Structures are given as C-alpha cells and as structure tokens.
Amino acid sequence: MAKLTLAVLISGRGTNLQALIDACADEAYPAEIGIVISNQADAEGLERARSAGIRTLVIDHSEFENREAFDNAVSSALDTHEVQLVCLAGFMRLLTRGFVDRWRDRIINIHPSLLPAFKGLHVHERVIESGVRITGCTVHFIRAEMDEGPIIAQGAVPVCAEDTPDSLAARVLEVEHRLYPLAVRLIAEGKARVAGEIVPYLDLGEAGGPLINPNG
Ligand code: GRF
C-alpha cells in the first residue's frame, strides 16, 4: 500500500521529529516523511532530518510581511512536496485561520498536557503549581484556536512530589515519543478520522488498567 506522505514542521530540537523518523525507518510503518520545514535556520531538528537523508526547507517567518504571507509560503511548499498530513512538532508559530482551514483534518499537533487542560506555554510549571496528580500529552487535529481540535490519542504520567518542570517535562516527553508515531499510524491506516468534531474511540485491545496517583 502507498505510504502517507508527511511534512513535519519544527522550530527547535526536534525530538518528536526524531521519534517519527525512527518510526518511518520501519518498512512496515504506513507513513514516510517527505519534507521537514523549519521557521528557524538553526533548529537542531534540521540536522536530525539531514542525517536521515530527509529533505529540509527553512522558511524564515521574519522575512515575510505578515502571517498570511508566511503561511502561504508554507502551504505552497506542502503542495510542491505532495504532502498528505502535516505534523507540527514543536513548531512555535501561530497559524492563520485560512491555513488551518485549508489543511483541515490533515494537520495535527502534539501538546504536552492532557487537553483541554493546560493549553498554551509553560505547561509543566502550571501543572506543578496547580497540584494535579496526573498529566500527560495529547495528539490532536488542529483548529484555528490554539491547542483546540479533535483528540486522536493521549498518554498519561504521574506528577511526583519532587518534580521540577524539567523532570516532569522529561517524563511526559518519553510518552510523546511513543504517542506521536502511534497517532500518525492510526491516521495512515484510516483508523482515526474526524466525525462530528471528535475522533471516535477505537479499541486497540491494548488498554491497561487505571493510572491512579498517589497509588497508596
Ligand atoms: C514538545 O514537548 C511538544 O509537545 C511541544 O513542543 C515540544 C517539542 O519538543 N509542542 P521537540 O522539539 O519535539 O523535542
């Protein structure tokens, strides 16, 4: 079967990109990365893509007059590379409604919280301050409002008493690296589709027990 062509959009270190690169290295994985686009020329993730022999493109937002012009340049690059699914992975630019509508249900994001809780930036600091006992990450289809849109998959981790934002981020990140390739696979296999603004639940037969924290 033909593989789904992905674009991965990054701005920084690209560890989620790396998780997707590693997943795509498996011949049986139903997707491949056609292009990695960064708005930052010095993004570490670009080097990860180059080492894996994946085409890269820098589209520097500061060279465009406004958001629409930047988004149009990104859209044409996606068209040129015949991209079927756009994966945002630490891409630190807000996208215009026009762009999001154009790629509706063909653009996804990973966010380091259990959405709809803790949208936005500085998530782990806010999670610790709030006193919640469980947090995690979410892969979702994108809508024009930040961190909104139908949820495809979530992973949970405990918040521990001694956690700092960094230690919590590291625990969540490990799950992100499993979750993003899983979500992309479900889309590529036609198992995760938007219907009525949710992605109907799919029983993968792998669900574990409840995650309860504290567990005493
Ligand atoms: C991740 O925590 C992701 O959830 C958020 O930005 C971070 C990107 O990290 N959207 P990386 O560049 O993939 O390492």
Side-chain angles (χ1 to χ4, degrees):
M1 221 175 77
K3 294 193 181 216
L4 190 76
T5 303
L6 311 177
V8 186
L9 270 54
I10 61 167
S11 299
R13 69 188 166 176
T15 65
N16 279 287
L17 163 66
Q18 187 68 55
L20 290 170
I21 292 173
D22 294 346
C24 291
D26 179 351
E27 244 175 63
Y29 194 72
E32 62 192 359
I33 303 174
I35 181 91
V36 170
I37 300 177
S38 174
N39 65 311
Q40 301 280 3
D42 59 354
E44 217 183 297
L46 286 170
E47 208 35 58
R48 296 176 187 274
R50 287 182 197 122
S51 318
I54 298 167
R55 262 181 305 221
T56 61
L57 185 62
V58 173
I59 306 180
D60 180 347
H61 61 275
S62 65
E63 288 170 6
F64 292 83
E65 210 167 289
N66 53 40
R67 287 189 188 275
E68 280 75 20
F70 170 74
D71 286 5
N72 286 339
V74 174
S75 239
S76 350
L78 297 174
D79 286 338
T80 304
H81 292 89
E82 298 183 349
V83 169
Q84 294 168 295
L85 181 69
V86 182
C87 304
L88 305 188
F91 182 66
M92 303 302 286
R93 298 293 303 165
L94 286 176
L95 295 163
T96 56
R97 184 174 290 274
F99 180 92
V100 173
D101 285 348
R102 182 157 180 239
W103 291 92
R104 192 181 172 89
D105 298 343
R106 294 183 295 151
I107 179 165
I108 63 177
N109 180 43
I110 185 156
H111 181 77
S113 77
L114 293 174
L115 291 174
F118 302 105
K119 295 173 181 172
L121 297 173
H122 309 297
V123 170
H124 305 296
E125 284 90 328
R126 288 187 287 124
V127 163
I128 289 171
E129 277 164 20
S130 76
V132 297
R133 299 297 199 256
I134 293 171
T135 185
C137 50
T138 304
V139 179
H140 63 102
F141 285 104
I142 288 184
R143 295 294 179 258
E145 299 72 30
M146 189 171 60
D147 300 326
E148 287 275 344
I151 289 170
I152 302 158
Q154 293 187 303
V157 299
V159 181
C160 300
E162 66 282 6
D163 264 331
T164 62
D166 284 350
S167 66
L168 186 55
R171 192 174 308 120
V172 172
L173 197 62
E174 268 185 43
V175 184
E176 292 185 41
H177 297 160
R178 287 161 53 194
L179 199 71
Y180 217 175
L182 165 68
V184 169
R185 177 165 66 75
L186 293 176
I187 294 169
E189 291 174 346
K191 292 178 179 165
R193 285 203 200 99
V194 180
E197 277 310 89
I198 64 160
V199 175
Y201 186 78
L202 185 73
D203 186 357
L204 297 171
E206 292 165 2
L211 172 58
I212 296 174
N213 180 36
N215 61 13

PDB file of all heavy atoms in Angstrom, residues 54-69:
ATOM      1  N   ILE A  54      16.540  13.121   4.833  1.00  0.00           N
ATOM      2  CA  ILE A  54      15.215  13.696   4.526  1.00  0.00           C
ATOM      3  C   ILE A  54      15.392  15.145   4.059  1.00  0.00           C
ATOM      4  O   ILE A  54      16.208  15.886   4.621  1.00  0.00           O
ATOM      5  CB  ILE A  54      14.311  13.643   5.787  1.00  0.00           C
ATOM      6  CG1 ILE A  54      14.093  12.186   6.199  1.00  0.00           C
ATOM      7  CG2 ILE A  54      12.990  14.351   5.560  1.00  0.00           C
ATOM      8  CD1 ILE A  54      13.492  12.029   7.575  1.00  0.00           C
ATOM      9  N   ARG A  55      14.607  15.513   3.049  1.00  0.00           N
ATOM     10  CA  ARG A  55      14.690  16.882   2.527  1.00  0.00           C
ATOM     11  C   ARG A  55      14.270  17.891   3.601  1.00  0.00           C
ATOM     12  O   ARG A  55      13.309  17.639   4.342  1.00  0.00           O
ATOM     13  CB  ARG A  55      13.730  17.049   1.345  1.00  0.00           C
ATOM     14  CG  ARG A  55      14.425  16.914   0.008  1.00  0.00           C
ATOM     15  CD  ARG A  55      13.417  17.108  -1.086  1.00  0.00           C
ATOM     16  NE  ARG A  55      12.322  16.165  -0.875  1.00  0.00           N
ATOM     17  CZ  ARG A  55      11.726  15.489  -1.852  1.00  0.00           C
ATOM     18  NH1 ARG A  55      12.074  15.673  -3.098  1.00  0.00           N
ATOM     19  NH2 ARG A  55      10.754  14.650  -1.582  1.00  0.00           N
ATOM     20  N   THR A  56      14.966  19.023   3.644  1.00  0.00           N
ATOM     21  CA  THR A  56      14.621  20.057   4.619  1.00  0.00           C
ATOM     22  C   THR A  56      14.435  21.391   3.902  1.00  0.00           C
ATOM     23  O   THR A  56      14.989  21.605   2.820  1.00  0.00           O
ATOM     24  CB  THR A  56      15.736  20.239   5.672  1.00  0.00           C
ATOM     25  OG1 THR A  56      16.930  20.632   4.995  1.00  0.00           O
ATOM     26  CG2 THR A  56      15.984  18.967   6.459  1.00  0.00           C
ATOM     27  N   LEU A  57      13.677  22.241   4.550  1.00  0.00           N
ATOM     28  CA  LEU A  57      13.422  23.559   3.986  1.00  0.00           C
ATOM     29  C   LEU A  57      13.297  24.541   5.147  1.00  0.00           C
ATOM     30  O   LEU A  57      12.593  24.255   6.125  1.00  0.00           O
ATOM     31  CB  LEU A  57      12.094  23.484   3.213  1.00  0.00           C
ATOM     32  CG  LEU A  57      11.658  24.701   2.434  1.00  0.00           C
ATOM     33  CD1 LEU A  57      12.670  25.040   1.336  1.00  0.00           C
ATOM     34  CD2 LEU A  57      10.290  24.423   1.788  1.00  0.00           C
ATOM     35  N   VAL A  58      14.004  25.672   5.037  1.00  0.00           N
ATOM     36  CA  VAL A  58      13.850  26.721   6.045  1.00  0.00           C
ATOM     37  C   VAL A  58      12.981  27.813   5.436  1.00  0.00           C
ATOM     38  O   VAL A  58      13.289  28.319   4.352  1.00  0.00           O
ATOM     39  CB  VAL A  58      15.220  27.297   6.465  1.00  0.00           C
ATOM     40  CG1 VAL A  58      15.038  28.498   7.396  1.00  0.00           C
ATOM     41  CG2 VAL A  58      16.070  26.226   7.132  1.00  0.00           C
ATOM     42  N   ILE A  59      11.884  28.126   6.102  1.00  0.00           N
ATOM     43  CA  ILE A  59      11.054  29.262   5.691  1.00  0.00           C
ATOM     44  C   ILE A  59      11.048  30.208   6.892  1.00  0.00           C
ATOM     45  O   ILE A  59      10.362  29.959   7.889  1.00  0.00           O
ATOM     46  CB  ILE A  59       9.621  28.820   5.302  1.00  0.00           C
ATOM     47  CG1 ILE A  59       9.670  27.720   4.227  1.00  0.00           C
ATOM     48  CG2 ILE A  59       8.818  30.023   4.798  1.00  0.00           C
ATOM     49  CD1 ILE A  59       8.300  27.218   3.761  1.00  0.00           C
ATOM     50  N   ASP A  60      11.880  31.235   6.792  1.00  0.00           N
ATOM     51  CA  ASP A  60      12.118  32.134   7.925  1.00  0.00           C
ATOM     52  C   ASP A  60      10.963  33.147   8.025  1.00  0.00           C
ATOM     53  O   ASP A  60      10.833  34.007   7.153  1.00  0.00           O
ATOM     54  CB  ASP A  60      13.467  32.827   7.700  1.00  0.00           C
ATOM     55  CG  ASP A  60      13.810  33.785   8.825  1.00  0.00           C
ATOM     56  OD1 ASP A  60      12.923  34.098   9.650  1.00  0.00           O
ATOM     57  OD2 ASP A  60      14.966  34.228   8.871  1.00  0.00           O
ATOM     58  N   HIS A  61      10.187  33.031   9.104  1.00  0.00           N
ATOM     59  CA  HIS A  61       8.991  33.885   9.219  1.00  0.00           C
ATOM     60  C   HIS A  61       9.342  35.372   9.222  1.00  0.00           C
ATOM     61  O   HIS A  61       8.549  36.199   8.799  1.00  0.00           O
ATOM     62  CB  HIS A  61       8.198  33.520  10.484  1.00  0.00           C
ATOM     63  CG  HIS A  61       8.987  33.722  11.735  1.00  0.00           C
ATOM     64  ND1 HIS A  61       9.840  32.787  12.234  1.00  0.00           N
ATOM     65  CD2 HIS A  61       9.078  34.787  12.559  1.00  0.00           C
ATOM     66  CE1 HIS A  61      10.417  33.246  13.329  1.00  0.00           C
ATOM     67  NE2 HIS A  61       9.976  34.461  13.541  1.00  0.00           N
ATOM     68  N   SER A  62      10.561  35.693   9.695  1.00  0.00           N
ATOM     69  CA  SER A  62      10.899  37.119   9.814  1.00  0.00           C
ATOM     70  C   SER A  62      11.102  37.775   8.430  1.00  0.00           C
ATOM     71  O   SER A  62      11.173  38.994   8.315  1.00  0.00           O
ATOM     72  CB  SER A  62      12.156  37.297  10.674  1.00  0.00           C
ATOM     73  OG  SER A  62      13.259  36.723  10.023  1.00  0.00           O
ATOM     74  N   GLU A  63      11.176  36.937   7.387  1.00  0.00           N
ATOM     75  CA  GLU A  63      11.346  37.509   6.045  1.00  0.00           C
ATOM     76  C   GLU A  63      10.015  37.815   5.362  1.00  0.00           C
ATOM     77  O   GLU A  63       9.973  38.217   4.204  1.00  0.00           O
ATOM     78  CB  GLU A  63      12.151  36.545   5.165  1.00  0.00           C
ATOM     79  CG  GLU A  63      13.616  36.496   5.572  1.00  0.00           C
ATOM     80  CD  GLU A  63      14.383  35.385   4.893  1.00  0.00           C
ATOM     81  OE1 GLU A  63      13.818  34.706   4.004  1.00  0.00           O
ATOM     82  OE2 GLU A  63      15.543  35.174   5.271  1.00  0.00           O
ATOM     83  N   PHE A  64       8.907  37.579   6.072  1.00  0.00           N
ATOM     84  CA  PHE A  64       7.589  37.794   5.459  1.00  0.00           C
ATOM     85  C   PHE A  64       6.907  38.987   6.110  1.00  0.00           C
ATOM     86  O   PHE A  64       7.111  39.272   7.289  1.00  0.00           O
ATOM     87  CB  PHE A  64       6.740  36.526   5.594  1.00  0.00           C
ATOM     88  CG  PHE A  64       7.277  35.387   4.769  1.00  0.00           C
ATOM     89  CD1 PHE A  64       8.308  34.597   5.252  1.00  0.00           C
ATOM     90  CD2 PHE A  64       6.783  35.143   3.494  1.00  0.00           C
ATOM     91  CE1 PHE A  64       8.837  33.557   4.496  1.00  0.00           C
ATOM     92  CE2 PHE A  64       7.308  34.112   2.728  1.00  0.00           C
ATOM     93  CZ  PHE A  64       8.332  33.317   3.227  1.00  0.00           C
ATOM     94  N   GLU A  65       6.064  39.644   5.297  1.00  0.00           N
ATOM     95  CA  GLU A  65       5.425  40.862   5.752  1.00  0.00           C
ATOM     96  C   GLU A  65       4.385  40.602   6.841  1.00  0.00           C
ATOM     97  O   GLU A  65       4.205  41.393   7.751  1.00  0.00           O
ATOM     98  CB  GLU A  65       4.741  41.500   4.546  1.00  0.00           C
ATOM     99  CG  GLU A  65       4.643  42.988   4.602  1.00  0.00           C
ATOM    100  CD  GLU A  65       4.254  43.501   3.227  1.00  0.00           C
ATOM    101  OE1 GLU A  65       5.130  43.428   2.322  1.00  0.00           O
ATOM    102  OE2 GLU A  65       3.094  43.911   3.063  1.00  0.00           O
ATOM    103  N   ASN A  66       3.694  39.477   6.735  1.00  0.00           N
ATOM    104  CA  ASN A  66       2.664  39.162   7.728  1.00  0.00           C
ATOM    105  C   ASN A  66       2.457  37.644   7.801  1.00  0.00           C
ATOM    106  O   ASN A  66       3.065  36.893   7.048  1.00  0.00           O
ATOM    107  CB  ASN A  66       1.345  39.882   7.391  1.00  0.00           C
ATOM    108  CG  ASN A  66       0.914  39.610   5.956  1.00  0.00           C
ATOM    109  OD1 ASN A  66       1.049  38.485   5.465  1.00  0.00           O
ATOM    110  ND2 ASN A  66       0.414  40.627   5.271  1.00  0.00           N
ATOM    111  N   ARG A  67       1.584  37.248   8.709  1.00  0.00           N
ATOM    112  CA  ARG A  67       1.352  35.802   8.928  1.00  0.00           C
ATOM    113  C   ARG A  67       0.804  35.112   7.684  1.00  0.00           C
ATOM    114  O   ARG A  67       1.143  33.985   7.380  1.00  0.00           O
ATOM    115  CB  ARG A  67       0.376  35.591  10.086  1.00  0.00           C
ATOM    116  CG  ARG A  67       0.999  35.873  11.428  1.00  0.00           C
ATOM    117  CD  ARG A  67       0.078  35.453  12.571  1.00  0.00           C
ATOM    118  NE  ARG A  67       0.626  35.916  13.829  1.00  0.00           N
ATOM    119  CZ  ARG A  67       1.543  35.268  14.542  1.00  0.00           C
ATOM    120  NH1 ARG A  67       2.006  34.114  14.131  1.00  0.00           N
ATOM    121  NH2 ARG A  67       2.008  35.767  15.668  1.00  0.00           N
ATOM    122  N   GLU A  68      -0.103  35.820   6.962  1.00  0.00           N
ATOM    123  CA  GLU A  68      -0.711  35.223   5.759  1.00  0.00           C
ATOM    124  C   GLU A  68       0.367  34.886   4.735  1.00  0.00           C
ATOM    125  O   GLU A  68       0.352  33.813   4.142  1.00  0.00           O
ATOM    126  CB  GLU A  68      -1.727  36.177   5.094  1.00  0.00           C
ATOM    127  CG  GLU A  68      -3.098  36.220   5.746  1.00  0.00           C
ATOM    128  CD  GLU A  68      -3.096  37.003   7.044  1.00  0.00           C
ATOM    129  OE1 GLU A  68      -2.158  37.818   7.267  1.00  0.00           O
ATOM    130  OE2 GLU A  68      -4.029  36.800   7.849  1.00  0.00           O
ATOM    131  N   ALA A  69       1.287  35.823   4.535  1.00  0.00           N
ATOM    132  CA  ALA A  69       2.327  35.614   3.516  1.00  0.00           C
ATOM    133  C   ALA A  69       3.206  34.422   3.901  1.00  0.00           C
ATOM    134  O   ALA A  69       3.546  33.578   3.059  1.00  0.00           O
ATOM    135  CB  ALA A  69       3.171  36.874   3.371  1.00  0.00           C
TER     136      ALA A  69
END
